[in-house]
């Protein structure tokens, strides 16, 4: 995230983080502590896959540019 210009902030606890998990369907990122808690209550929706892929690819392209 530093490559994009700043530290990343967890969308759940609002703490700065160096590693985390991006959820493309929600366009959100969670720290390693918050992600497992989110995952426990998450529901997978097949119809979100195209949006998730688009959001994830956009982030990957930003990081790689």
């Amino acid at each position: 995230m530093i490559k994009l210009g700043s530290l990343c902030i967890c969308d759940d606890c609002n703490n700065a983080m160096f590693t985390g998990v991006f959820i493309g369907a929600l366009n959100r990122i969670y720290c390693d502590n918050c992600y497992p808690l989110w995952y426990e209550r998450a529901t997978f929706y097949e119809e979100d896959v195209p949006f998730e892929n688009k959001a994830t690819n956009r982030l990957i392209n930003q990081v790689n540019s």
Side-chain angles (χ1 to χ4, degrees), residues 6 8 11 28 34 37 49 52-53 55 59:
S6 67
C8 191
D11 283 319
R28 297 174 62 95
C34 292
L37 301 173
V49 171
E52 181 167 13
N53 289 338
L59 180 64

Side-chain angles (χ1 to χ4, degrees), residues 16-28:
M17 60 183 182
F18 291 101
T19 63
V21 179
F22 177 71
I23 297 99
L26 303 176
N27 201 33
R28 297 174 62 95

